[in-house]
Every structure is written in C-alpha cells, then in structure tokens.
Short mmCIF file of all heavy atoms in Angstrom, two decimals:
data_model
loop_
_atom_site.label_atom_id
_atom_site.label_comp_id
_atom_site.label_asym_id
_atom_site.label_seq_id
_atom_site.Cartn_x
_atom_site.Cartn_y
_atom_site.Cartn_z
N ASP M 489 0.88 -1.17 0.00
CA ASP M 489 0.00 0.00 0.00
C ASP M 489 0.91 1.22 0.00
O ASP M 489 1.47 1.59 1.04
CB ASP M 489 -0.89 -0.02 1.24
CG ASP M 489 -1.70 1.28 1.40
OD1 ASP M 489 -1.74 2.08 0.45
OD2 ASP M 489 -2.29 1.48 2.48
N LEU M 490 1.10 1.81 -1.17
CA LEU M 490 1.95 2.99 -1.30
C LEU M 490 1.07 4.21 -1.07
O LEU M 490 0.47 4.75 -2.00
CB LEU M 490 2.60 3.02 -2.69
CG LEU M 490 3.56 4.19 -2.98
CD1 LEU M 490 4.75 4.18 -2.02
CD2 LEU M 490 4.03 4.15 -4.43
N GLY M 491 1.00 4.65 0.17
CA GLY M 491 0.07 5.69 0.54
C GLY M 491 0.64 7.09 0.41
O GLY M 491 1.85 7.28 0.34
N THR M 492 -0.24 8.08 0.42
CA THR M 492 0.18 9.47 0.35
C THR M 492 0.92 9.88 1.62
O THR M 492 1.93 10.57 1.56
CB THR M 492 -1.03 10.40 0.15
OG1 THR M 492 -1.78 9.95 -0.96
CG2 THR M 492 -0.58 11.83 -0.09
N THR M 493 0.42 9.45 2.76
CA THR M 493 1.02 9.82 4.04
C THR M 493 1.71 8.64 4.72
O THR M 493 2.75 8.82 5.36
CB THR M 493 -0.03 10.41 4.99
OG1 THR M 493 -1.15 9.51 5.06
CG2 THR M 493 -0.51 11.76 4.48
N TYR M 494 1.13 7.44 4.61
CA TYR M 494 1.73 6.25 5.22
C TYR M 494 1.65 5.08 4.24
O TYR M 494 0.70 4.97 3.45
CB TYR M 494 1.00 5.87 6.51
CG TYR M 494 1.24 6.82 7.66
CD1 TYR M 494 0.42 7.91 7.87
CD2 TYR M 494 2.33 6.64 8.52
CE1 TYR M 494 0.65 8.81 8.90
CE2 TYR M 494 2.57 7.53 9.56
CZ TYR M 494 1.73 8.60 9.75
OH TYR M 494 1.97 9.50 10.77
N SER M 495 2.65 4.20 4.32
CA SER M 495 2.69 3.01 3.48
C SER M 495 2.82 1.78 4.36
O SER M 495 3.24 1.85 5.52
CB SER M 495 3.87 3.08 2.50
OG SER M 495 3.72 4.15 1.60
N ALA M 496 2.48 0.62 3.78
CA ALA M 496 2.56 -0.63 4.52
C ALA M 496 2.80 -1.78 3.56
O ALA M 496 2.49 -1.70 2.37
CB ALA M 496 1.27 -0.87 5.32
N VAL M 497 3.37 -2.87 4.11
CA VAL M 497 3.68 -4.06 3.32
C VAL M 497 3.06 -5.27 4.00
O VAL M 497 3.09 -5.40 5.23
CB VAL M 497 5.20 -4.27 3.20
CG1 VAL M 497 5.51 -5.52 2.38
CG2 VAL M 497 5.86 -3.06 2.59
N SER M 498 2.49 -6.17 3.20
CA SER M 498 1.84 -7.35 3.75
C SER M 498 2.18 -8.57 2.90
O SER M 498 2.52 -8.46 1.72
CB SER M 498 0.32 -7.15 3.78
OG SER M 498 -0.35 -8.25 4.36
N ILE M 499 2.08 -9.75 3.51
CA ILE M 499 2.24 -11.02 2.80
C ILE M 499 1.12 -11.95 3.24
O ILE M 499 0.46 -11.73 4.26
CB ILE M 499 3.59 -11.70 3.09
CG1 ILE M 499 3.71 -12.02 4.59
CG2 ILE M 499 4.74 -10.88 2.59
CD1 ILE M 499 4.77 -13.03 4.93
N LEU M 500 0.93 -12.99 2.48
CA LEU M 500 0.01 -14.06 2.86
C LEU M 500 0.82 -15.12 3.59
O LEU M 500 1.81 -15.63 3.06
CB LEU M 500 -0.66 -14.64 1.62
CG LEU M 500 -2.12 -15.07 1.77
CD1 LEU M 500 -2.98 -13.88 2.16
CD2 LEU M 500 -2.64 -15.67 0.48
N SER M 501 0.41 -15.44 4.80
CA SER M 501 1.16 -16.40 5.61
C SER M 501 0.91 -17.83 5.15
O SER M 501 0.07 -18.08 4.28
CB SER M 501 0.76 -16.27 7.08
OG SER M 501 -0.58 -16.71 7.26
N GLU M 502 1.63 -18.77 5.76
CA GLU M 502 1.47 -20.18 5.42
C GLU M 502 0.08 -20.70 5.71
O GLU M 502 -0.37 -21.68 5.12
CB GLU M 502 2.51 -21.03 6.17
CG GLU M 502 3.91 -20.99 5.59
CD GLU M 502 4.66 -19.71 5.93
OE1 GLU M 502 4.11 -18.87 6.70
OE2 GLU M 502 5.78 -19.52 5.43
N THR M 503 -0.63 -20.01 6.61
CA THR M 503 -2.00 -20.42 6.94
C THR M 503 -3.03 -19.79 6.00
O THR M 503 -4.22 -20.05 6.14
CB THR M 503 -2.33 -20.04 8.39
OG1 THR M 503 -2.27 -18.62 8.54
CG2 THR M 503 -1.36 -20.71 9.36
N GLY M 504 -2.55 -18.96 5.08
CA GLY M 504 -3.47 -18.31 4.15
C GLY M 504 -4.05 -17.02 4.65
O GLY M 504 -4.95 -16.46 4.03
N GLN M 505 -3.51 -16.49 5.77
CA GLN M 505 -4.00 -15.22 6.31
C GLN M 505 -2.98 -14.11 6.04
O GLN M 505 -1.78 -14.31 6.20
CB GLN M 505 -4.23 -15.34 7.82
CG GLN M 505 -5.35 -16.29 8.20
CD GLN M 505 -6.68 -15.87 7.61
OE1 GLN M 505 -7.08 -14.71 7.70
NE2 GLN M 505 -7.39 -16.82 7.01
N PRO M 506 -3.45 -12.94 5.61
CA PRO M 506 -2.51 -11.84 5.38
C PRO M 506 -2.00 -11.26 6.69
O PRO M 506 -2.75 -11.13 7.66
CB PRO M 506 -3.36 -10.81 4.61
CG PRO M 506 -4.77 -11.13 4.97
CD PRO M 506 -4.83 -12.59 5.25
N ILE M 507 -0.72 -10.92 6.71
CA ILE M 507 -0.13 -10.28 7.89
C ILE M 507 0.69 -9.07 7.44
O ILE M 507 1.34 -9.09 6.39
CB ILE M 507 0.76 -11.25 8.69
CG1 ILE M 507 1.86 -11.86 7.80
CG2 ILE M 507 -0.06 -12.36 9.33
CD1 ILE M 507 2.88 -12.68 8.57
N ILE M 508 0.64 -8.02 8.24
CA ILE M 508 1.43 -6.82 7.97
C ILE M 508 2.85 -7.03 8.49
O ILE M 508 3.05 -7.47 9.62
CB ILE M 508 0.81 -5.59 8.65
CG1 ILE M 508 -0.61 -5.35 8.16
CG2 ILE M 508 1.67 -4.35 8.40
CD1 ILE M 508 -0.73 -4.87 6.75
N LEU M 509 3.83 -6.74 7.66
CA LEU M 509 5.23 -6.88 8.06
C LEU M 509 5.71 -5.61 8.77
O LEU M 509 5.39 -4.49 8.35
CB LEU M 509 6.11 -7.14 6.84
CG LEU M 509 5.82 -8.41 6.04
CD1 LEU M 509 6.76 -8.49 4.84
CD2 LEU M 509 5.96 -9.65 6.91
N GLU M 510 6.47 -5.79 9.81
CA GLU M 510 7.06 -4.64 10.49
C GLU M 510 8.24 -4.10 9.69
O GLU M 510 8.98 -4.87 9.05
CB GLU M 510 7.50 -5.02 11.90
CG GLU M 510 6.34 -5.33 12.84
CD GLU M 510 6.81 -5.58 14.27
OE1 GLU M 510 8.04 -5.70 14.49
OE2 GLU M 510 5.94 -5.66 15.17
N ASN M 511 8.42 -2.79 9.72
CA ASN M 511 9.55 -2.18 9.02
C ASN M 511 10.80 -2.21 9.88
O ASN M 511 10.82 -2.80 10.96
CB ASN M 511 9.19 -0.76 8.56
CG ASN M 511 8.88 0.17 9.74
OD1 ASN M 511 9.25 -0.09 10.89
ND2 ASN M 511 8.20 1.26 9.46
N GLN M 512 11.85 -1.54 9.42
CA GLN M 512 13.13 -1.55 10.13
C GLN M 512 13.04 -0.89 11.51
O GLN M 512 13.89 -1.14 12.37
CB GLN M 512 14.20 -0.84 9.29
CG GLN M 512 14.55 -1.56 7.99
CD GLN M 512 13.70 -1.14 6.80
OE1 GLN M 512 12.52 -0.83 6.95
NE2 GLN M 512 14.30 -1.09 5.63
N ASP M 513 12.00 -0.06 11.72
CA ASP M 513 11.83 0.60 13.02
C ASP M 513 10.90 -0.17 13.94
O ASP M 513 10.58 0.30 15.04
CB ASP M 513 11.27 2.01 12.80
CG ASP M 513 12.19 2.87 11.94
OD1 ASP M 513 13.40 2.89 12.23
OD2 ASP M 513 11.70 3.50 10.99
N GLY M 514 10.43 -1.34 13.49
CA GLY M 514 9.53 -2.14 14.30
C GLY M 514 8.08 -1.70 14.22
O GLY M 514 7.26 -2.12 15.04
N ASP M 515 7.75 -0.85 13.22
CA ASP M 515 6.39 -0.36 13.06
C ASP M 515 5.72 -1.00 11.85
O ASP M 515 6.39 -1.38 10.88
CB ASP M 515 6.40 1.17 12.88
CG ASP M 515 6.99 1.89 14.08
OD1 ASP M 515 6.72 1.45 15.21
OD2 ASP M 515 7.72 2.88 13.86
N LYS M 516 4.40 -1.06 11.87
CA LYS M 516 3.66 -1.62 10.74
C LYS M 516 3.41 -0.58 9.64
O LYS M 516 3.22 -0.95 8.48
CB LYS M 516 2.33 -2.20 11.22
CG LYS M 516 2.49 -3.45 12.08
CD LYS M 516 1.14 -4.04 12.45
CE LYS M 516 1.31 -5.33 13.23
NZ LYS M 516 0.00 -5.93 13.59
#
C-alpha cells in the first residue's frame, strides 16, 4: 500500500492469512 502519508507491506502467511510486516523501526 503505497500511501500518500503512510505506506505498509503485507504477505500471505502459510495459513493463508494476510499479515502486515514490520519495518526496520519495528512499526507496521
């Protein structure tokens, strides 16, 4: 999600559920 003010990255886990990945600062 390349946002105007904030962005985020997600993947689909092995269980088939999407999870938000933490960035280098430990934030989502």
Side-chain angles (χ1 to χ4, degrees):
D489 172 11
L490 181 61
T492 307
T493 51
Y494 289 91
S495 296
V497 180
S498 182
I499 61 163
L500 216 60
S501 68
E502 282 77 4
T503 62
Q505 294 300 312
I507 56 173
I508 301 289
L509 298 178
E510 292 185 350
N511 62 19
Q512 294 90 326
D513 300 312
D515 299 321
K516 291 184 177 181

